[in-house]
Every structure is written in C-alpha cells, then in structure tokens.
Amino acid sequence: MNVPSDVEDLLRELAPQVLGTLARRWGDFDAAEDAVQEALIAAARHWSADGIPAQPRGWLLQTASRRMVDQWRSDTARRDREVRVASEPSAGGAAQDDDTLTVLFLCCHPVLSPTSAIALTLRAVGGLTTAEIARAFLVPEATMAQRISRAKQRVAGERFSMPSPDERADRLRSVLRVLYLMFNEGYTGSAGDDLTRVDLSDEAIRLARLVQAADDDPEVAGLLALVLLTDARRPARTDASGTPVTLADQDRGLWDHARVAEGTALLDGAIGRGAVGEYQLQAAIAAIHDRARSADATDWPQILALYELLERMTGSPVVTLNRAVATAMVHGPAVGLAVLDGVDGTLPRVDQLKAHLHELAGDHELALTHYRRAAGRATNVAERRYLDAQVARLAGGSA
C-alpha cells in the first residue's frame, strides 16, 4: 500500500501521543501498543483513500480505544476494567498532552538490550509496523514480532511516567545510545542492498530533536549535532549506481551545508557548559571533517588528539579503529597499522582499514589480501560491491 508522505509523517507524529494516552488510561502498555498499531494500519488505509480527517488525533484515539475495548471484553475481569474506563473522559475529549517523550524513555528502559530498545522505539514512537522493522533488520517478521513482544512484556510493569530526577540521567544515557545506534544503522545498514536506510536515520534525527527541545543537556545537543553533521554528507556518499564513495573522494559541494551550519551551532553552544561527553567529542570530529574545504585540508592532528581523548573516555574498539586511520594520516600508514595490530580482527571494518593502509604503504599484495577478506565478510550489498571493485582494481594492477 502506497501511503502519501503527509499521511505517513502525521501518523509518525501522532503514534506516541495516542499510545501515551491509552497507556495512561488503561494501565497496560502492551495492549495499548497493539491497539495503536492496528489503528495506524486502519488510518493509513482510510486516510490515503479519503483524506486526513479534521481531527486526526481524535480519529486515531477513538479507533485505538475501540480496539482496546474489543481486546479486553474477553477478559474475565472486564467488568472492573469497564467501570474504570467509564470513569475516564471520552476519547474525543482526551487531553492533548504529548506523551512522545514519555513513550520514548519507556522504550529505552535500561532493562532492554539495545536491539530490542531500537525495535520497540521504532514501533511505538516511530510508528513503523512490525513488517517494516523486520525488513530494516533483515529478519523474518515473526522473529521481530517475538522480539518486540518480549520487549513490551519487560517494560509492561513500569509506571507510565517520565523517570524521576534521580533516574533521569541514567535513562537519558540509554535514550541517547538507542538514538545513536538507530542513526548508525540507518546511515550505514548492516545488511541489505542499499548503503543507507534513510527512514531510520531520519527518524533518529527527529527523535533527537524532540529530546533536545525538552532537555537542556549538553550531551543531548552533542548527539543532535553529531547526527546532523554526519548526515549532511549523505548526498555525496554514493555514486549514481549506489556504490559507496569514500570521504576523501566525495563531492563536498553536494553536502547539506544547512545541516552543517545547524550542527556546528549546536556543538558550539554545548561545549564549555560542563564536562564534555563522548557525543560532543564525536561531533567535534565530524565538524572538523565538514569544515575542511577538501580532504587534503583536513586537520588530522586535531582529529587524532580528539580520538585519543575519546578512546580514553570510552575504551571502545571502534574508536580505536578510527584512531588508527587518524594516526596513519598524521604519522604514516605503518604507524596506523601498528595500532590495528592490537585490535580484534573479527570487528567490522578491520580488514578494510588494513587494506587501505597497506595500499597507502605501497604493499598492494597485502592490501589485496585484506580487501578480499573484507569483501567476503561484507553483509551490505553496496559495501560488498565497493570492496569487490577494489579487489578487481588491485588484482588488475598486479597482473
């Protein structure tokens, strides 16, 4: 079913609001979420054909409420519940409170794994169907349905409200982590035919904007700055065939300079307002790349210094991979390769980075070996196509 973009955007905005109202009224997040999903499907069908109603939120709330009543009528305790519901305002007179952030914080509960939290967030806050989420993660719909169901059951007993001040900092870190992972999966898909999943990265940016508007925390601003500065390069990341283009070879005139300006302003406003966190550091690195007029003009010594600080802060092996590249650009490929010697060889991108650095060092034979290994491990079709092209280029040159 083809859903008009204005209908899709509105449903995505209204989904968490309606879910919040139902969860608060009925006290059952699991059932409320199922009812909202059915209402969203019905709305997509009817609104695409008949147009958006005058009161779309009320339409969704009434439809979802009917689904809730139908679900609960078969329950042995329906009389008590119906009495409880009868004392509540009617669906049409529901308060217009926006519970989007409350739903987001609940979906990002620390008891959930990052994968489960992302899936639940995409469904409950992003308004995506289980089938759409399953396609995004390239798993069967039944598998994703079970994953989401288990996630809902784990948070079902939690009180539907924003975290207390004492809990908020810990929950906020979980929220930022989920949004960061969601954006990364959209920006470079772990699998699939295309390099990117624009709907996932756009949804992460939308949710990051909501959190930033409600929470004056420098790390929230840092995350939003990071995703904007990174996403600004998206128009130049692939060629006409969808094959990835390296950062050094991208046409920087195609970058979204409005996003660069917005991200830079957010970063400048966040830094200096307290302890600098990991997202601000990553945004600062992204800003250096985006400000450089060319790849040759990139301030690699400053990037290396920031990666060294970020590595000490996080201990992340992914950061170590990036530090190796920066080290190679400052001190030469041999020194960068020495950094990679201490990295787990099974991590994504290790072989690709080794191939690149060996090629810079002039060792085309080792570069070819690592490009072949990287291509064999690639799960994203677009990335594999790029790596296969590197193999063909080096193999042809050595023939």
Side-chain angles (χ1 to χ4, degrees):
M1 177 178 59
N2 292 325
V3 181
S5 59
D6 58 337
V7 172
E8 188 173 353
D9 292 344
L10 183 58
L11 291 176
R12 184 166 289 172
E13 176 185 347
L14 293 176
Q17 300 178 28
V18 175
L19 173 57
T21 300
L22 286 183
R24 193 184 305 280
R25 176 183 298 167
W26 291 75
D28 188 332
F29 179 84
D30 192 351
E33 203 278 330
D34 286 338
V36 169
Q37 283 297 313
E38 292 185 31
L40 290 173
I41 293 171
R45 183 172 59 253
H46 289 292
W47 298 4
S48 298
D50 304 330
I52 299 173
Q55 295 184 344
R57 187 177 187 276
W59 192 103
L60 271 180
L61 188 55
Q62 187 175 48
T63 302
S65 295
R66 285 200 297 265
R67 299 293 196 275
M68 287 287 288
V69 171
D70 291 343
Q71 291 172 18
W72 285 48
R73 273 178 179 159
S74 61
D75 197 289
T76 56
R78 68 182 182 278
R79 289 190 180 87
D80 290 340
R81 290 171 179 144
E82 287 172 354
V83 168
R84 177 181 174 186
V85 173
S87 65
E88 297 284 348
S90 65
Q96 294 296 307
D97 295 337
D98 187 347
D99 285 312
T100 298
L101 287 176
T102 304
V103 176
L104 174 60
F105 272 80
L106 182 62
C107 291
C108 296
H109 196 286
V111 300
L112 298 178
S113 69
T115 301
S116 295
I118 291 174
L120 186 57
T121 300
L122 287 173
R123 179 165 150 139
V125 187
L128 275 67
T129 66
T130 302
E132 289 172 329
I133 300 169
R135 285 196 296 271
F137 284 90
L138 295 176
V139 299
E141 184 175 352
T143 300
M144 183 55 66
Q146 292 176 351
R147 184 178 299 171
I148 292 173
S149 178
R150 286 194 297 267
K152 288 191 295 182
Q153 290 169 9
R154 294 203 70 180
V155 302
E158 297 294 323
R159 186 166 55 93
F160 186 79
S161 63
M162 287 291 284
S164 67
D166 291 340
E167 299 170 335
R168 186 173 177 83
D170 289 339
R171 191 74 64 86
L172 182 61
R173 283 195 291 271
S174 295
V175 168
L176 296 182
R177 182 64 176 166
V178 165
L179 296 183
Y180 176 70
L181 293 174
M182 183 190 301
F183 174 81
N184 284 342
E185 178 63 26
Y187 192 68
T188 303
S190 56
D193 293 334
D194 299 322
L195 181 67
T196 62
R197 274 294 307 267
V198 177
D199 54 344
L200 292 185
S201 53
D202 282 353
E203 181 63 9
I205 292 172
R206 183 185 78 88
L207 295 175
R209 289 188 188 281
L210 285 177
V211 178
Q212 194 269 337
D215 199 314
D216 187 30
D217 185 290
E219 267 294 80
V220 177
L223 175 69
L224 180 56
L226 170 62
V227 297
L228 289 172
L229 289 165
T230 304
D231 195 66
R233 305 174 206 143
R234 191 203 319 160
R237 289 187 69 225
T238 57
D239 61 18
S241 68
T243 301
V245 178
T246 64
L247 181 60
D249 293 329
Q250 287 176 18
D251 180 354
R252 299 182 179 222
L254 297 177
W255 288 359
D256 187 336
H257 296 286
R259 288 209 156 174
V260 172
E262 182 184 1
T264 301
L266 281 165
L267 177 63
D268 291 344
I271 290 180
R273 291 172 48 205
V276 175
E278 60 178 294
Y279 296 115
Q280 294 171 73
L281 287 178
Q282 290 186 70
I285 293 168
I288 294 172
H289 283 296
D290 287 5
R291 286 168 172 157
R293 294 187 176 182
S294 67
D296 292 337
T298 303
D299 188 346
W300 283 107
Q302 187 177 1
I303 289 176
L304 176 57
L306 289 172
Y307 271 129
E308 289 172 342
L309 179 58
L310 185 61
E311 187 178 33
R312 290 196 296 271
M313 179 182 294
T314 66
S316 168
V318 175
V319 175
T320 303
L321 295 182
N322 290 316
R323 179 172 69 84
V325 175
T327 299
M329 299 304 294
V330 176
H331 300 297
V335 184
L337 284 165
V339 174
L340 291 179
D341 285 341
V343 174
D344 182 357
T346 63
L347 285 173
R349 294 179 59 226
V350 170
D351 281 304
Q352 183 175 345
L353 290 180
K354 286 184 176 180
H356 174 62
L357 295 185
H358 278 300
E359 185 174 2
L360 287 179
D363 192 336
H364 287 191
E365 184 176 346
L366 270 178
L368 181 58
T369 297
H370 285 287
Y371 271 131
R372 282 174 171 154
R373 190 177 300 167
R377 293 177 174 177
T379 55
N380 181 285
V381 174
E383 284 193 313
R384 186 166 64 247
R385 189 163 57 241
Y386 166 79
L387 293 167
D388 285 340
Q390 306 315 303
V391 169
R393 175 176 59 82
L394 286 181
S398 61

